[in-house]
């Protein structure tokens, strides 16, 4: 090995090319020769086997009949094979009936003998045997003896050896010549390539190699240049990716921190109204005075209303990431929809000595608006709540009007205040989910702080938009637009809803059942209300009588509301079915309609929702009591 290190590169390349070629030729020649010998032996064995099978198959009749001359053509054909020296056929007594020997190998002593019996399968019968039960047994008719000579095999092996050696020698000489020529053609390009790669290893990624060769060497030169380009690009990309990774890491940490703060904040905000409602309900007592009772009840109602609003906000925030929002359209006058809410805001503004001004255009006062009233109310609530919360003196104004747009008409909700305003750097941030300008517990103003985020998401999901800008002087001017349509005012039916009608409530929760029964009784004048607590009972009840309206809970053990409604429709029951469930996610409205329901009410129920459902789904012509 030490001697090889002192040889020139040219001689090394020659050795690298020639020695493996010579070794490969020798190994392949030996392997080829061995395979040829093995094939020759297998060929002789196959011929002997075929001869034995043919003679054995054809010797049954001559041996049984005694006409042994019929065997001689088979024996002569077998002796035509060079490796077969002698063929002898004997009978059952072991006496030779035919024996022939080849003249080509007279006197050869190096032989091998193969014996094979000649047998025949015959039925074994006796006087008690039946044909169906006959078994076959072997009967010996004689034997065949083949004498094989190895002389032919050795002659063939010597011929194969000579041919293989001559061929191998020619290939070795040719390989040596080709290796020498190849070494002389690749030496210089390889030296240049080696120097170039050494430069790349040293960091010289901006240098390039001149491509002055073809075939594989030229490809190596081209690929070496590509490698240099890739290394150079990788250095630039690595720096860019590192910067992006650091930025994404910061964003991920910020998002995780914002979500954690949001969850902690929601825990605090939910517990506050919950504590107020539970506390006021526990203070209710028959011994309370009328004023105390009204005060406790009013406080509990406000706390539960606040809790319901917080839950609605949480659902909207969840839908923000799903990029969807359940929408329920109805036709109502907007002042009636917002009346109670705006009265609450007027009281809050009065407590802070603020002026609160509400302005409707004439169209909204005189005509019904087709929209989702709960979502419109939610947008107004958040925008006005933010304005009052962040305004310490001055005024807050709410202006609602209908505006024309390229796709029809939109409801314009504009809230202007004289409060602290929003910094320019935070205007985009406050519209992102889980992001607030200040979300810590030490912030000055209470609340979840997601009003603008929720309002922006609602407007966007409804096909509208929300824009922030500074109000003249100081404060904030928020403009929300929601696609909506004005419709003609329909003449209200008799104020006494449900007179002469019957409704069935399907609800498994006793508390919810009681609430729904009381609300239906209060909302419907003389409305007959019955109830069942499972889907199975509902099907049984509808088989014996009919109803004008069914309020169906969706989540029940056994048959849920969806499957119960599907079976009702299969039974041919066409009674309007209104879903009444606390589930407001996962496309619940679409699932209700797909199962055959006609409408959807979200819990918690209110008298206004129940009255609206009765006015929509009870027949216009009254029926006689059921």
């Amino acid at each position: 090995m030490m001697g090889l290190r002192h040889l020139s590169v040219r001689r090394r390349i020659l050795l690298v090319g020639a020695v493996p070629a010579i070794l490969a030729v020798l190994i392949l020649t030996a392997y080829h020769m061995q395979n040829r010998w093995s094939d020759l032996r297998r060929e002789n064995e196959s011929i002997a086997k075929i001869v034995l099978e043919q003679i054995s198959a054809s010797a049954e009749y001559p041996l049984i009949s005694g006409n042994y001359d019929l065997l001689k053509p088979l024996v002569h054909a077998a002796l035509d094979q060079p490796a077969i020296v002698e063929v002898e056929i004997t009978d059952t007594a072991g006496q030779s009936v035919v024996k022939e020997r080849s003249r080509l190998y007279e006197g050869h002593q190096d032989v091998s003998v193969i014996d094979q019996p000649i047998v025949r399968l015959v039925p074994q019968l006796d006087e008690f045997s039946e044909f169906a039960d006959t078994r076959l047994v072997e009967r010996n008719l004689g034997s065949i003896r083949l004498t094989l000579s190895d002389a032919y095999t050795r002659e063939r092996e010597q011929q194969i050896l000579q041919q293989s050696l001559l061929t191998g020698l020619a290939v070795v000489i040719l390989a040596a010549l080709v290796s020498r020529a190849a070494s002389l053609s690749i030496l210089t390009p390889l030296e240049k390539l080696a120097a170039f790669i050494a430069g790349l290893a040293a960091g010289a990624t901006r240098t390039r190699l001149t491509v002055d060769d073809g075939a594989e060497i030229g490809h190596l030169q081209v690929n070496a240049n590509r490698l240099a380009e890739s290394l150079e690009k990788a250095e630039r990309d690595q720096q860019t990716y590192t910067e992006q990774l650091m930025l994404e890491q910061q964003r991920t940490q910020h998002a995780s921190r914002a979500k954690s703060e949001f969850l902690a904040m929601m825990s605090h905000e939910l517990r506050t109204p919950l504590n107020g409602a539970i506390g006021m309900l526990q203070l209710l007592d028959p011994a309370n005075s009328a004023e105390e009772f009204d005060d406790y009840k009013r406080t509990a109602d406000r706390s539960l209303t606040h809790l319901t609003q917080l839950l609605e906000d949480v659902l909207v925030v969840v839908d923000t990431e799903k990029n969807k929002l359940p929408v329920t359209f109805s036709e109502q006058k907007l002042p009636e929809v917002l009346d109670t809410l705006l009265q609450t805001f007027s009281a809050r503004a009065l407590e802070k000595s603020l002026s609160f001004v509400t302005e409707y255009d004439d169209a909204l006062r005189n005509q019904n608006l087709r929209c989702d009233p709960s979502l419109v109310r939610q947008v107004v609530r958040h925008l006005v709540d933010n304005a009052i919360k962040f305004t310490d003196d001055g005024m807050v104004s709410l202006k609602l009007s209908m505006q024309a747009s390229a796709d029809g008409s939109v409801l314009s909700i504009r809230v202007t205040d004289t409060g602290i305003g929003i910094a320019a750097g935070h205007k985009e941030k406050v519209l992102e989910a889980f992001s607030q300008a200040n979300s810590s517990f030490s912030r000055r103003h209470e609340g979840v702080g997601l009003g603008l985020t929720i309002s922006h998401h609602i407007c966007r999901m409804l096909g509208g938009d929300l824009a922030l800008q500074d109000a003249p002087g100081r404060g904030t001017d928020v403009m929300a637009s929601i696609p909506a349509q004005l419709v003609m005012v329909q003449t209200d039916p008799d104020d006494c809803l449900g007179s002469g009608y019957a409704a069935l409530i399907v609800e498994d929760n006793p508390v919810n059942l009681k609430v729904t029964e009381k609300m239906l009784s209060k909302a419907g004048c003389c409305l007959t209300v019955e109830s069942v607590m499972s889907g199975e009972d509902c099907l049984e009840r509808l088989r014996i009588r009919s109803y004008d309206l069914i309020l169906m809970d969706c989540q029940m053990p056994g048959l849920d509301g969806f499957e119960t409604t599907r079976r009702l429709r299969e039974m041919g029951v066409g009674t309007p079915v209104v879903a009444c469930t606390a589930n407001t996610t996962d496309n619940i409205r679409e699932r209700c309609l797909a199962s055959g329901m006609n409408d959807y009410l979200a819990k918690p129920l209110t008298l206004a929702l129940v009255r609206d459902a009765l006015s929509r789904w009870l027949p216009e012509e009254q029926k006689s009591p059921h």
Side-chain angles (χ1 to χ4, degrees):
M1 294 299 296
M2 292 299 296
L4 291 176
R5 294 179 180 178
H6 296 287
L7 294 177
S8 63
V9 175
R10 180 172 301 180
R11 292 183 180 179
R12 292 187 193 183
I13 293 177
L14 181 60
L15 290 176
V16 168
V19 172
I22 294 173
L23 292 177
V25 169
L26 293 178
I27 293 172
L28 291 176
T29 300
Y31 178 75
H32 175 72
M33 184 173 59
Q34 186 66 32
N35 284 342
R36 290 286 303 277
W37 288 350
S38 298
D39 292 342
L40 180 62
R41 296 189 188 96
R42 285 194 295 270
E43 180 183 352
N44 291 337
E45 293 174 358
S46 299
I47 291 174
K49 184 177 180 181
I50 293 173
V51 169
L52 288 173
E53 291 177 353
Q54 289 179 346
I55 295 177
S56 177
S58 304
E60 291 183 5
Y61 175 74
L63 289 175
I64 294 173
S65 63
N67 188 2
Y68 302 129
D69 291 338
L70 296 176
L71 297 173
K72 290 185 178 181
L74 298 174
V75 173
H76 292 160
L79 292 175
D80 289 339
Q81 302 297 324
I84 299 177
V85 177
E86 184 180 81
V87 179
E88 182 179 6
I89 301 175
T90 60
D91 57 13
T92 56
Q95 295 181 356
S96 177
V97 296
V98 175
K99 184 176 182 180
E100 297 288 343
R101 186 176 181 86
S102 176
R103 298 178 181 180
L104 297 177
Y105 297 98
E106 286 290 342
H108 283 281
Q109 301 298 325
D110 190 5
V111 296
S112 58
V113 179
I114 301 176
D115 289 325
Q116 178 174 312
I118 302 175
V119 296
R120 180 184 181 187
L121 295 176
V122 297
Q124 183 181 11
L125 300 174
D126 54 38
E127 58 184 349
F128 301 103
S129 301
E130 296 182 2
F131 181 77
D133 299 330
T134 302
R135 291 180 296 175
L136 298 178
V137 297
E138 293 184 352
R139 178 182 175 186
N140 190 7
L141 301 179
S143 64
I144 305 171
R145 173 174 294 179
L146 290 183
T147 303
L148 305 177
S149 174
D150 294 336
Y152 170 75
T153 302
R154 286 195 297 271
E155 289 178 3
R156 290 290 307 277
E157 287 177 348
Q158 290 177 359
Q159 293 176 0
I160 292 172
L161 175 62
Q162 292 175 0
Q163 294 174 356
S164 298
L165 291 178
L166 290 175
T167 303
L169 180 61
V171 173
V172 167
I173 294 173
L174 181 61
L177 295 175
V178 172
S179 299
R180 182 176 184 279
S183 64
L184 296 177
S185 63
I186 66 176
L187 178 61
T188 302
L190 283 180
E191 289 177 345
K192 294 181 179 179
L193 185 60
F196 179 73
I197 294 176
L200 291 180
T205 58
R206 297 182 181 276
T207 60
R208 297 294 182 265
L209 184 65
T210 302
V211 179
D212 56 1
D213 207 311
E216 287 79 5
I217 299 297
H219 294 163
L220 286 175
Q221 292 172 338
V222 172
N223 291 333
N225 286 334
R226 291 177 179 174
L227 176 61
E229 295 174 357
S230 300
L231 291 175
E232 184 181 0
K233 184 177 181 296
E235 290 179 356
R236 295 194 304 267
D237 292 343
Q238 181 181 8
Q239 184 177 1
T240 303
Y241 292 155
T242 301
E243 295 175 355
Q244 292 179 351
L245 181 61
M246 294 297 294
L247 181 60
E248 291 298 328
Q249 184 179 14
Q250 293 175 359
R251 290 178 179 174
T252 302
Q253 292 174 350
H254 173 73
S256 177
R257 186 165 54 252
K259 287 188 177 182
S260 298
E261 292 175 355
F262 170 77
L263 293 176
M265 184 192 314
M266 287 306 305
S267 176
H268 171 266
E269 294 296 331
L270 289 173
R271 287 178 182 272
T272 300
L274 187 60
N275 178 68
I278 294 176
M280 291 298 103
L281 292 176
Q282 288 180 347
L283 291 175
L284 287 176
D285 189 89
N288 294 141
S289 64
E291 294 181 358
E292 287 178 333
F293 183 87
D294 291 340
D295 181 43
Y296 295 161
K297 180 180 179 298
R298 191 163 46 252
T299 304
D301 287 342
R302 285 199 300 266
S303 299
L304 291 176
T305 300
H306 186 200
L307 181 61
T308 302
Q309 293 172 351
L310 288 174
L311 292 177
E312 291 177 351
D313 293 345
V314 171
L315 293 176
V316 172
V317 172
V318 171
D319 289 331
T320 300
E321 295 190 333
K322 296 181 179 180
N323 200 27
K324 62 182 181 180
L325 193 67
V327 181
T328 303
F329 290 99
S330 64
E331 299 174 1
Q332 299 183 47
K333 286 186 178 180
L334 191 60
E336 297 176 359
V337 172
L338 302 178
D339 180 61
T340 303
L341 178 65
L342 297 183
Q343 287 181 15
T344 303
F345 283 135
S346 296
R348 283 183 53 193
L350 185 61
E351 292 175 358
K352 298 184 67 174
S353 300
L354 300 176
S355 297
F356 178 55
V357 179
T358 302
E359 181 182 352
Y360 294 95
D361 64 8
D362 293 338
L364 290 176
R365 290 185 180 276
N366 300 326
Q367 299 185 55
N368 284 348
L369 184 70
R370 177 171 174 77
C371 62
D372 188 320
S374 63
L375 295 179
V376 173
R377 185 166 46 243
Q378 201 168 357
V379 172
V380 172
R381 174 169 60 85
H382 282 300
L383 297 184
V384 176
D385 179 72
N386 276 351
I388 295 177
K389 184 188 305 181
F390 296 104
T391 301
D392 294 329
D393 59 81
M395 66 172 294
V396 174
S397 68
L398 168 65
K399 182 177 181 180
L400 301 108
S401 60
M402 293 299 297
Q403 304 288 338
S405 68
D407 299 326
S409 59
V410 297
L411 171 64
S412 173
I413 304 172
R414 184 173 184 177
V415 178
T416 306
D417 63 65
T418 57
I420 61 176
I422 302 175
H426 290 157
K427 287 184 179 180
E428 294 296 330
K429 180 181 178 182
V430 295
L431 299 181
E432 299 176 0
F434 303 110
S435 296
Q436 304 88 45
N438 184 359
S439 58
S440 65
F441 281 112
S442 61
R443 65 193 186 283
R444 176 183 173 187
H445 303 280
E446 295 182 354
V448 179
L450 291 177
L452 290 176
T453 300
I454 294 171
S455 301
H456 178 252
H457 176 63
I458 292 175
C459 293
R460 188 166 53 86
M461 288 295 98
L462 295 178
D465 196 9
L466 186 144
L468 300 175
Q469 58 185 3
D470 296 330
R474 65 190 183 100
T476 306
D477 187 358
V478 184
M479 175 73 75
S481 60
I482 299 175
Q485 294 179 349
L486 290 172
V487 295
M488 297 299 297
V489 178
Q490 301 293 331
T491 303
D492 291 334
D494 193 345
D495 292 336
C496 185
L497 296 172
S499 178
Y501 295 107
L504 177 65
I505 304 172
V506 185
E507 172 65 66
D508 67 312
N509 185 279
V511 176
N512 289 338
L513 178 58
K514 184 176 181 180
V515 170
T516 308
E517 286 178 341
K518 297 299 182 182
M519 284 195 171
L520 275 180
S521 299
K522 190 170 183 178
C525 178
C526 301
L527 176 67
T528 302
V529 180
E530 298 182 7
S531 63
V532 293
M533 299 188 70
S534 68
E536 292 83 356
D537 292 341
C538 174
L539 297 178
E540 291 297 327
R541 184 67 62 86
L542 266 295
R543 288 190 177 96
I544 60 177
R545 67 161 299 176
S546 61
Y547 294 90
D548 301 298
L549 182 66
I550 300 175
L551 267 66
M552 180 76 68
D553 183 27
C554 293
Q555 307 297 332
M556 294 184 295
L559 284 181
D560 60 14
F562 305 110
E563 183 61 26
T564 302
T565 305
R566 277 192 286 268
R567 296 194 183 186
L568 286 177
R569 297 314 185 205
E570 291 173 359
M571 291 166 53
V573 177
T575 304
V577 178
V578 178
C580 188
T581 178
N583 185 0
T584 59
T585 59
D586 298 330
N587 297 325
I588 189 67
R589 179 177 178 82
E590 289 74 10
R591 291 181 60 194
C592 292
L593 298 179
S595 66
M597 300 182 187
N598 301 88
D599 203 351
Y600 159 81
L601 295 179
K603 295 178 182 177
L605 296 179
T606 63
L607 284 173
L609 287 175
V610 175
R611 287 195 182 99
D612 185 57
L614 292 179
S615 65
R616 283 202 307 271
W617 296 110
L618 287 181
E620 294 182 0
E621 297 181 359
Q622 295 184 355
K623 296 181 180 179
S624 60
H626 291 249

